[in-house]
Amino acid sequence: MAAYLSRLHHISLNVSNVNKVAHELVSRFQFNVFAARLTDRAKQLALRRGSAVFVVNERPNEAPRRLNGHQSRGWSSVTERHRDSNCLYGAHAHYPVDTVSNVCFEVEDVQSAAAALRDRGLCEFLQPPTEVCDDSGRVTFSIIRSPVGNVCHTLIDRSQYQGLFLPGFHRVGSDSQTAARSQCPITHFDHITYACPRSSTAHVTRWYRDTFGFRRFFIDRNEDVDEGYVLNHDGIGLRLTAMEYWKCSESGITLPFKDEKEPDCKFVIAESLPEQGRNQVDTFLDQHRGAGIQHIGLYTEDIVRTAQTLSQAGVQFFSPPPAYYTEVGKQEEIVAAGHDPHTLSQYGILLDTDIHTDTDRRITDGQRYLLQVFTKPIFGEDTFFLELIERRGATGFGEGNIRALWRSVQAYMENEEHHETERVNKQSTQS
Ligand SMILES: O=C(O)C(=O)Cc1ccc(O)cc1
Ligand SMILES: [Fe+2]
C-alpha cells in the first residue's frame, strides 16, 4: 500500500548563504522568519507566509564531518548525531548550487509509512524513522529520495508535538502575519513544478502513484494518458504532466476519497521536447546540474495587490510581449473577468479562462479563470523561481497562460545566454 500524506508541511532550500536568501524572502517576498536552529555547525531558518513554510538551510561545502559533541539545551532522547546535524529533518547532501532540496509531508504514522514503502522496495531511505524530542514533545521523521534529481521527501509525524515548529528550532521574532496580510495575501503552496530530463515523466508519475497514491490531474481534456499535455510547435517544446493528492484527515482515515477531502499542492512535471530547440527546461537542467524543482506556485487571494507589494519591494517579474494585453479577445477576456488590462500589464500578470472538466473530462459549467505571473530566478543561477497564482474557480493550468509564461521566460533566458556567449567570446579574444 502507498503511504498516504496528511499534508505538505514545509519546503527546504539548501543554499550557500542563508542570510542572503532569507533576507530576499523577507524583504521582497514578505515572508516572516518565525523559527531558527542555530548551532556551531547549523544555520536553519524557518519562514512563513500563510501556511507556506520554507526552511532555508546552509548547504555544506564538504561531505559531513565527524561530530564534535556539541550540546544544546532542552534536548532529550535524541542521538548525538541528530542534535548536531547541520541539516536536521533534511538530508546532508552536498550539492554544487543553491537548490530546493526537500518537500516535507506530514503523515499519520512514520513507522508504518516507512514499513509499507520498505516492504514494496519502492524507495531509497536516506534516514530511517527517527525520533527527536524537546521540552514541547516529540516528532518522528524519515527521509526518502524522490525519483527527481536531488529532491528528497521528509515524512514527519508531529501529532505529539506542541511546540511552535519542530524540536530543535526556537522561536524568532513576533511572527505577526496580520500587518502585511492585506497587502500580500499569499495563503499556501499551490503547486511545485519539476524540470525533468527527456523520457523520464512516466517513471516519475508511476513512482508518486505507487509511493504516495498520487493521481493524474489532466491539464487538458484532450490530453493523452501516456503522452501528457504536449506543446510542440511555435517554438514551444514542452511535455507537462500533473499529479495531485488529497489531504488526509487527522481522524485516522487514511484513504483519500476525492470528494470528501481537500486537494493539497499539485505536482507538475515539465519535460523538454527537442524539436523546437534549446529551452528553459534545458537551461534549468544544465545550470542546476540535473533535474529538480524549477518553480513553486504561491497561491494568493489577490494577485494584483500581491504583485504590487512585491514589485515595490524589488521583486522582478517576467512579462509577456506587450501585444498580449492588446490582442483582440484577450482584452475582452480580462475586462469580463473584472480586471484592467493596463494594471495586469504593469506586472506581467497573465489571465486565462479555464474550461473546467470533471474526472471523466466532461466540460462542466461556467467561466472560471486563473491569473499567473512568474518571478525572475531567485538564486545565482537561472534555476529556481517563484510564481504567483490566483484561481477564480479554475483548478488547472490554462493553455494560453502556459504559452505566454513559456514565452516570457524564454525571451529572458535567450537574452541571458546571448550575454553569456558574448562575455565568453570577449574573454577568449582578450586572452
Ligand atoms: O503554468 C504553470 O504554472 C506551470 O507550472 C507550467 C509550466 C512549467 C514549466 C515552464 O517552464 C513553464 C510553465
Ligand atoms: Fe507553475
Side-chain angles (χ1 to χ4, degrees):
M1 205 177 80
Y4 290 106
L5 307 172
S6 303
R7 63 178 198 98
L8 200 156
H9 185 259
H10 70 263
I11 297 177
S12 296
L13 317 180
N14 277 13
V15 303
S16 62
N17 188 336
V18 169
N19 290 353
K20 182 166 175 284
V21 172
H23 182 259
E24 168 105 5
L25 287 171
V26 170
S27 68
R28 299 207 156 134
F29 288 92
Q30 317 296 312
F31 276 67
N32 287 334
V33 180
F34 70 99
R37 178 170 176 270
L38 306 168
T39 73
D40 46 1
R41 293 197 59 223
K43 191 185 265 181
Q44 297 184 270
L45 299 179
L47 301 95
R48 75 170 144 212
R49 175 115 303 267
S51 70
V53 174
F54 283 120
V55 173
V56 187
N57 301 310
E58 197 124 272
R59 74 181 149 89
N61 290 321
E62 50 181 303
R65 270 189 290 135
R66 291 296 307 161
L67 305 167
N68 61 9
H70 169 80
Q71 300 282 323
S72 316
R73 276 183 303 138
W75 287 73
S76 61
S77 57
V78 52
T79 62
E80 201 61 22
R81 196 163 103 71
H82 300 116
R83 186 183 299 160
D84 206 44
S85 163
N86 63 5
C87 185
L88 190 58
Y89 309 111
H92 303 257
H94 165 74
Y95 204 74
V97 291
D98 288 1
T99 181
V100 184
S101 54
N102 193 315
V103 180
C104 173
F105 296 107
E106 277 186 59
V107 295
E108 281 177 12
D109 182 341
V110 174
Q111 295 281 2
S112 57
L117 299 181
R118 188 168 282 132
D119 283 350
R120 298 192 57 185
L122 280 173
C123 49
E124 183 188 339
F125 281 81
L126 298 172
Q127 173 94 44
T130 304
E131 208 173 84
V132 188
C133 309
D134 69 9
D135 296 342
S136 305
R138 72 164 195 275
V139 304
T140 311
F141 76 98
S142 182
I143 308 174
I144 61 175
R145 201 188 279 286
S146 90
V148 179
N150 65 321
V151 179
C152 299
H153 294 298
T154 295
L155 306 180
I156 197 157
D157 168 14
R158 62 184 304 287
S159 59
Q160 304 303 311
Y161 191 67
Q162 287 77 43
L164 175 71
F165 184 52
L166 293 172
F169 281 78
H170 61 268
R171 181 188 295 272
V172 173
S174 60
D175 191 28
S176 150
Q177 296 241 9
T178 43
R181 201 177 176 295
S182 63
Q183 299 305 316
C184 180
I186 289 171
T187 54
H188 58 275
F189 293 123
D190 180 87
H191 64 275
I192 295 172
T193 297
Y194 286 141
C196 287
R198 295 201 173 112
S199 312
S200 62
T201 299
H203 172 63
V204 175
T205 51
R206 218 177 299 123
W207 189 91
Y208 278 98
R209 182 196 65 199
D210 296 345
T211 306
F212 297 138
F214 280 23
R215 304 206 197 150
R216 262 303 273 289
F217 175 88
F218 292 100
I219 293 171
D220 187 83
R221 72 199 164 91
N222 298 317
E223 180 179 333
D224 184 272
V225 179
D226 298 320
E227 292 294 309
Y229 181 45
V230 173
L231 288 163
N232 202 7
H233 39 81
D234 304 332
I236 308 180
L238 177 67
R239 181 198 309 282
L240 285 182
T241 312
M243 308 174 287
E244 65 180 343
Y245 65 96
W246 286 266
K247 291 181 189 178
C248 291
S249 71
E250 277 111 54
S251 63
I253 304 163
T254 45
L255 272 177
F257 297 110
K258 182 179 174 184
D259 296 333
E260 295 167 16
K261 308 246 184 317
E262 223 184 310
D264 207 357
C265 184
K266 289 186 178 64
F267 281 69
V268 180
I269 304 162
E271 189 183 307
S272 105
L273 301 172
E275 292 83 3
Q276 309 291 320
R278 237 186 98 72
N279 63 47
Q280 58 205 258
V281 176
D282 300 318
T283 302
F284 178 95
L285 296 173
D286 283 355
Q287 298 209 7
H288 183 260
R289 330 270 173 99
I293 294 179
Q294 181 220 35
H295 76 263
I296 294 173
L298 299 171
Y299 187 86
T300 169
E301 290 169 346
D302 186 341
I303 197 169
V304 172
R305 181 160 294 221
T306 305
Q308 251 159 9
T309 305
L310 268 50
S311 168
Q312 275 161 15
V315 173
Q316 293 190 359
F317 298 105
F318 285 119
S319 292
Y324 173 88
Y325 297 97
T326 53
E327 266 167 36
V328 186
K330 186 48 79 183
Q331 234 180 3
E332 281 87 38
E333 202 181 334
I334 293 173
V335 171
H339 285 279
D340 169 31
H342 177 69
T343 309
L344 296 196
S345 77
Q346 269 183 304
Y347 306 106
I349 299 169
L350 306 164
L351 180 142
D352 207 347
T353 309
D354 178 67
I355 301 171
H356 193 75
T357 59
D358 62 18
T359 40
D360 295 323
R361 301 200 233 175
R362 284 184 301 243
I363 297 181
T364 54
D365 59 347
Q367 285 275 300
R368 301 156 190 254
Y369 63 94
L370 76 160
L371 298 136
Q372 289 168 283
V373 63
F374 280 174
T375 74
K376 297 219 171 133
I378 307 291
F379 301 144
E381 296 76 21
D382 281 335
T383 54
F384 175 62
F385 56 88
L386 289 166
E387 169 190 334
L388 300 177
I389 182 163
E390 178 185 341
R391 297 180 181 280
R392 292 281 158 197
T395 53
F397 302 90
E399 171 171 352
N401 271 13
I402 295 169
R403 286 177 188 285
L405 285 165
W406 178 269
R407 294 209 170 101
S408 60
V409 179
Q410 207 52 40
Y412 169 85
M413 297 278 178
E414 277 158 20
N415 198 24
E416 289 286 290
E417 289 192 353
H418 173 73
H419 285 314
E420 180 60 16
T421 315
E422 277 197 333
R423 199 182 59 75
V424 171
N425 284 346
K426 208 182 252 166
Q427 261 179 358
S428 59
T429 50
Q430 278 166 0
S431 59

PDB file of all heavy atoms in Angstrom, residues 190-193 268 294-297 372-374 385-389 391 397 405, ligand 2:
ATOM      1  N   ASP A 190       0.648  26.364  -3.986  1.00  0.00           N
ATOM      2  CA  ASP A 190      -0.370  25.865  -4.920  1.00  0.00           C
ATOM      3  C   ASP A 190       0.141  24.672  -5.723  1.00  0.00           C
ATOM      4  O   ASP A 190      -0.559  23.688  -5.890  1.00  0.00           O
ATOM      5  CB  ASP A 190      -0.765  26.989  -5.891  1.00  0.00           C
ATOM      6  CG  ASP A 190      -1.815  26.547  -6.892  1.00  0.00           C
ATOM      7  OD1 ASP A 190      -3.009  26.631  -6.577  1.00  0.00           O
ATOM      8  OD2 ASP A 190      -1.427  26.083  -8.005  1.00  0.00           O
ATOM      9  N   HIS A 191       1.342  24.792  -6.252  1.00  0.00           N
ATOM     10  CA  HIS A 191       1.927  23.662  -6.987  1.00  0.00           C
ATOM     11  C   HIS A 191       3.445  23.765  -7.017  1.00  0.00           C
ATOM     12  O   HIS A 191       4.022  24.822  -6.783  1.00  0.00           O
ATOM     13  CB  HIS A 191       1.375  23.562  -8.418  1.00  0.00           C
ATOM     14  CG  HIS A 191       1.698  24.732  -9.301  1.00  0.00           C
ATOM     15  ND1 HIS A 191       0.948  25.886  -9.324  1.00  0.00           N
ATOM     16  CD2 HIS A 191       2.702  24.927 -10.203  1.00  0.00           C
ATOM     17  CE1 HIS A 191       1.469  26.736 -10.200  1.00  0.00           C
ATOM     18  NE2 HIS A 191       2.539  26.189 -10.745  1.00  0.00           N
ATOM     19  N   ILE A 192       4.050  22.612  -7.283  1.00  0.00           N
ATOM     20  CA  ILE A 192       5.504  22.511  -7.380  1.00  0.00           C
ATOM     21  C   ILE A 192       5.794  21.966  -8.772  1.00  0.00           C
ATOM     22  O   ILE A 192       5.206  20.952  -9.165  1.00  0.00           O
ATOM     23  CB  ILE A 192       6.031  21.535  -6.311  1.00  0.00           C
ATOM     24  CG1 ILE A 192       5.768  22.110  -4.909  1.00  0.00           C
ATOM     25  CG2 ILE A 192       7.525  21.241  -6.520  1.00  0.00           C
ATOM     26  CD1 ILE A 192       6.074  21.148  -3.772  1.00  0.00           C
ATOM     27  N   THR A 193       6.649  22.649  -9.523  1.00  0.00           N
ATOM     28  CA  THR A 193       6.948  22.177 -10.879  1.00  0.00           C
ATOM     29  C   THR A 193       8.378  21.661 -10.959  1.00  0.00           C
ATOM     30  O   THR A 193       9.325  22.349 -10.598  1.00  0.00           O
ATOM     31  CB  THR A 193       6.699  23.295 -11.916  1.00  0.00           C
ATOM     32  OG1 THR A 193       5.306  23.632 -11.886  1.00  0.00           O
ATOM     33  CG2 THR A 193       7.061  22.839 -13.327  1.00  0.00           C
ATOM     34  N   VAL A 268       3.714  19.227 -10.849  1.00  0.00           N
ATOM     35  CA  VAL A 268       3.732  19.301 -12.307  1.00  0.00           C
ATOM     36  C   VAL A 268       5.117  18.866 -12.782  1.00  0.00           C
ATOM     37  O   VAL A 268       6.126  19.283 -12.212  1.00  0.00           O
ATOM     38  CB  VAL A 268       3.456  20.756 -12.789  1.00  0.00           C
ATOM     39  CG1 VAL A 268       3.480  20.842 -14.308  1.00  0.00           C
ATOM     40  CG2 VAL A 268       2.129  21.271 -12.242  1.00  0.00           C
ATOM     41  N   GLN A 294      11.899  23.374 -10.405  1.00  0.00           N
ATOM     42  CA  GLN A 294      12.120  24.554 -11.247  1.00  0.00           C
ATOM     43  C   GLN A 294      11.385  25.765 -10.702  1.00  0.00           C
ATOM     44  O   GLN A 294      11.901  26.866 -10.702  1.00  0.00           O
ATOM     45  CB  GLN A 294      11.656  24.260 -12.680  1.00  0.00           C
ATOM     46  CG  GLN A 294      11.868  25.404 -13.661  1.00  0.00           C
ATOM     47  CD  GLN A 294      10.706  25.569 -14.640  1.00  0.00           C
ATOM     48  OE1 GLN A 294       9.546  25.344 -14.288  1.00  0.00           O
ATOM     49  NE2 GLN A 294      11.015  25.965 -15.855  1.00  0.00           N
ATOM     50  N   HIS A 295      10.133  25.576 -10.282  1.00  0.00           N
ATOM     51  CA  HIS A 295       9.427  26.701  -9.657  1.00  0.00           C
ATOM     52  C   HIS A 295       8.338  26.218  -8.723  1.00  0.00           C
ATOM     53  O   HIS A 295       7.930  25.051  -8.771  1.00  0.00           O
ATOM     54  CB  HIS A 295       8.901  27.687 -10.703  1.00  0.00           C
ATOM     55  CG  HIS A 295       7.664  27.258 -11.455  1.00  0.00           C
ATOM     56  ND1 HIS A 295       7.709  26.667 -12.696  1.00  0.00           N
ATOM     57  CD2 HIS A 295       6.346  27.370 -11.150  1.00  0.00           C
ATOM     58  CE1 HIS A 295       6.478  26.442 -13.114  1.00  0.00           C
ATOM     59  NE2 HIS A 295       5.622  26.842 -12.191  1.00  0.00           N
ATOM     60  N   ILE A 296       7.919  27.125  -7.850  1.00  0.00           N
ATOM     61  CA  ILE A 296       6.843  26.836  -6.902  1.00  0.00           C
ATOM     62  C   ILE A 296       5.791  27.923  -7.061  1.00  0.00           C
ATOM     63  O   ILE A 296       6.116  29.116  -7.086  1.00  0.00           O
ATOM     64  CB  ILE A 296       7.380  26.817  -5.452  1.00  0.00           C
ATOM     65  CG1 ILE A 296       8.358  25.642  -5.262  1.00  0.00           C
ATOM     66  CG2 ILE A 296       6.230  26.722  -4.444  1.00  0.00           C
ATOM     67  CD1 ILE A 296       9.061  25.642  -3.921  1.00  0.00           C
ATOM     68  N   GLY A 297       4.543  27.504  -7.194  1.00  0.00           N
ATOM     69  CA  GLY A 297       3.432  28.456  -7.307  1.00  0.00           C
ATOM     70  C   GLY A 297       2.926  28.821  -5.919  1.00  0.00           C
ATOM     71  O   GLY A 297       2.531  27.947  -5.152  1.00  0.00           O
ATOM     72  N   GLN A 372      -1.748  34.372 -13.394  1.00  0.00           N
ATOM     73  CA  GLN A 372      -0.411  33.890 -13.002  1.00  0.00           C
ATOM     74  C   GLN A 372       0.663  34.889 -13.406  1.00  0.00           C
ATOM     75  O   GLN A 372       0.520  35.605 -14.400  1.00  0.00           O
ATOM     76  CB  GLN A 372      -0.086  32.574 -13.733  1.00  0.00           C
ATOM     77  CG  GLN A 372      -0.859  31.366 -13.269  1.00  0.00           C
ATOM     78  CD  GLN A 372      -0.693  30.210 -14.232  1.00  0.00           C
ATOM     79  OE1 GLN A 372      -1.307  30.200 -15.302  1.00  0.00           O
ATOM     80  NE2 GLN A 372       0.122  29.235 -13.887  1.00  0.00           N
ATOM     81  N   VAL A 373       1.727  34.900 -12.656  1.00  0.00           N
ATOM     82  CA  VAL A 373       2.925  35.646 -13.055  1.00  0.00           C
ATOM     83  C   VAL A 373       4.150  34.939 -12.480  1.00  0.00           C
ATOM     84  O   VAL A 373       4.093  34.385 -11.386  1.00  0.00           O
ATOM     85  CB  VAL A 373       2.840  37.138 -12.624  1.00  0.00           C
ATOM     86  CG1 VAL A 373       2.770  37.299 -11.110  1.00  0.00           C
ATOM     87  CG2 VAL A 373       4.000  37.948 -13.173  1.00  0.00           C
ATOM     88  N   PHE A 374       5.236  34.919 -13.264  1.00  0.00           N
ATOM     89  CA  PHE A 374       6.489  34.286 -12.823  1.00  0.00           C
ATOM     90  C   PHE A 374       7.468  35.365 -12.365  1.00  0.00           C
ATOM     91  O   PHE A 374       7.578  36.413 -12.991  1.00  0.00           O
ATOM     92  CB  PHE A 374       7.161  33.551 -14.001  1.00  0.00           C
ATOM     93  CG  PHE A 374       6.598  32.193 -14.339  1.00  0.00           C
ATOM     94  CD1 PHE A 374       7.061  31.520 -15.472  1.00  0.00           C
ATOM     95  CD2 PHE A 374       5.644  31.565 -13.559  1.00  0.00           C
ATOM     96  CE1 PHE A 374       6.584  30.268 -15.822  1.00  0.00           C
ATOM     97  CE2 PHE A 374       5.160  30.299 -13.892  1.00  0.00           C
ATOM     98  CZ  PHE A 374       5.628  29.654 -15.020  1.00  0.00           C
ATOM     99  N   PHE A 385      12.658  29.670  -9.565  1.00  0.00           N
ATOM    100  CA  PHE A 385      11.913  30.927  -9.424  1.00  0.00           C
ATOM    101  C   PHE A 385      10.576  30.661  -8.759  1.00  0.00           C
ATOM    102  O   PHE A 385      10.179  29.513  -8.545  1.00  0.00           O
ATOM    103  CB  PHE A 385      11.739  31.625 -10.779  1.00  0.00           C
ATOM    104  CG  PHE A 385      11.087  30.793 -11.854  1.00  0.00           C
ATOM    105  CD1 PHE A 385       9.706  30.757 -11.994  1.00  0.00           C
ATOM    106  CD2 PHE A 385      11.853  30.055 -12.746  1.00  0.00           C
ATOM    107  CE1 PHE A 385       9.099  29.995 -12.990  1.00  0.00           C
ATOM    108  CE2 PHE A 385      11.259  29.293 -13.743  1.00  0.00           C
ATOM    109  CZ  PHE A 385       9.885  29.262 -13.867  1.00  0.00           C
ATOM    110  N   LEU A 386       9.882  31.732  -8.408  1.00  0.00           N
ATOM    111  CA  LEU A 386       8.562  31.604  -7.787  1.00  0.00           C
ATOM    112  C   LEU A 386       7.495  32.090  -8.753  1.00  0.00           C
ATOM    113  O   LEU A 386       7.791  32.784  -9.731  1.00  0.00           O
ATOM    114  CB  LEU A 386       8.510  32.419  -6.481  1.00  0.00           C
ATOM    115  CG  LEU A 386       9.345  31.836  -5.337  1.00  0.00           C
ATOM    116  CD1 LEU A 386       9.528  32.842  -4.216  1.00  0.00           C
ATOM    117  CD2 LEU A 386       8.695  30.551  -4.801  1.00  0.00           C
ATOM    118  N   GLU A 387       6.294  31.704  -8.483  1.00  0.00           N
ATOM    119  CA  GLU A 387       5.152  32.115  -9.307  1.00  0.00           C
ATOM    120  C   GLU A 387       4.060  32.577  -8.359  1.00  0.00           C
ATOM    121  O   GLU A 387       3.918  32.013  -7.272  1.00  0.00           O
ATOM    122  CB  GLU A 387       4.675  30.887 -10.104  1.00  0.00           C
ATOM    123  CG  GLU A 387       3.353  31.071 -10.809  1.00  0.00           C
ATOM    124  CD  GLU A 387       2.803  29.745 -11.378  1.00  0.00           C
ATOM    125  OE1 GLU A 387       3.590  28.826 -11.662  1.00  0.00           O
ATOM    126  OE2 GLU A 387       1.575  29.642 -11.511  1.00  0.00           O
ATOM    127  N   LEU A 388       3.309  33.591  -8.756  1.00  0.00           N
ATOM    128  CA  LEU A 388       2.087  33.938  -8.010  1.00  0.00           C
ATOM    129  C   LEU A 388       0.920  33.414  -8.823  1.00  0.00           C
ATOM    130  O   LEU A 388       0.915  33.528 -10.053  1.00  0.00           O
ATOM    131  CB  LEU A 388       1.947  35.453  -7.857  1.00  0.00           C
ATOM    132  CG  LEU A 388       3.072  36.174  -7.121  1.00  0.00           C
ATOM    133  CD1 LEU A 388       2.817  37.689  -7.132  1.00  0.00           C
ATOM    134  CD2 LEU A 388       3.185  35.671  -5.681  1.00  0.00           C
ATOM    135  N   ILE A 389      -0.049  32.847  -8.152  1.00  0.00           N
ATOM    136  CA  ILE A 389      -1.220  32.324  -8.864  1.00  0.00           C
ATOM    137  C   ILE A 389      -2.479  32.638  -8.065  1.00  0.00           C
ATOM    138  O   ILE A 389      -2.502  32.488  -6.851  1.00  0.00           O
ATOM    139  CB  ILE A 389      -1.061  30.802  -9.166  1.00  0.00           C
ATOM    140  CG1 ILE A 389      -2.264  30.260  -9.942  1.00  0.00           C
ATOM    141  CG2 ILE A 389      -0.829  29.978  -7.908  1.00  0.00           C
ATOM    142  CD1 ILE A 389      -2.003  28.915 -10.614  1.00  0.00           C
ATOM    143  N   ARG A 391      -6.584  31.785  -8.344  1.00  0.00           N
ATOM    144  CA  ARG A 391      -7.568  30.977  -9.066  1.00  0.00           C
ATOM    145  C   ARG A 391      -8.962  31.507  -8.790  1.00  0.00           C
ATOM    146  O   ARG A 391      -9.327  31.706  -7.639  1.00  0.00           O
ATOM    147  CB  ARG A 391      -7.484  29.524  -8.610  1.00  0.00           C
ATOM    148  CG  ARG A 391      -6.158  28.861  -8.915  1.00  0.00           C
ATOM    149  CD  ARG A 391      -6.135  27.421  -8.426  1.00  0.00           C
ATOM    150  NE  ARG A 391      -4.861  26.767  -8.700  1.00  0.00           N
ATOM    151  CZ  ARG A 391      -4.511  26.258  -9.873  1.00  0.00           C
ATOM    152  NH1 ARG A 391      -5.362  26.304 -10.898  1.00  0.00           N
ATOM    153  NH2 ARG A 391      -3.342  25.691 -10.048  1.00  0.00           N
ATOM    154  N   PHE A 397      -4.358  24.488 -15.250  1.00  0.00           N
ATOM    155  CA  PHE A 397      -3.374  25.398 -15.816  1.00  0.00           C
ATOM    156  C   PHE A 397      -3.867  25.702 -17.227  1.00  0.00           C
ATOM    157  O   PHE A 397      -4.038  24.786 -18.016  1.00  0.00           O
ATOM    158  CB  PHE A 397      -1.994  24.741 -15.867  1.00  0.00           C
ATOM    159  CG  PHE A 397      -1.530  24.298 -14.504  1.00  0.00           C
ATOM    160  CD1 PHE A 397      -1.835  23.020 -14.032  1.00  0.00           C
ATOM    161  CD2 PHE A 397      -0.828  25.157 -13.690  1.00  0.00           C
ATOM    162  CE1 PHE A 397      -1.446  22.609 -12.779  1.00  0.00           C
ATOM    163  CE2 PHE A 397      -0.433  24.756 -12.423  1.00  0.00           C
ATOM    164  CZ  PHE A 397      -0.734  23.489 -11.959  1.00  0.00           C
ATOM    165  N   LEU A 405       3.538  32.240 -20.455  1.00  0.00           N
ATOM    166  CA  LEU A 405       4.569  32.129 -19.416  1.00  0.00           C
ATOM    167  C   LEU A 405       5.860  31.599 -20.031  1.00  0.00           C
ATOM    168  O   LEU A 405       6.956  32.095 -19.777  1.00  0.00           O
ATOM    169  CB  LEU A 405       4.118  31.168 -18.298  1.00  0.00           C
ATOM    170  CG  LEU A 405       3.061  31.693 -17.329  1.00  0.00           C
ATOM    171  CD1 LEU A 405       2.460  30.542 -16.523  1.00  0.00           C
ATOM    172  CD2 LEU A 405       3.627  32.731 -16.380  1.00  0.00           C
TER     173      LEU A 405
HETATM  174 FE    FE B   2       3.561  26.975 -12.400  1.00  0.00          FE
END
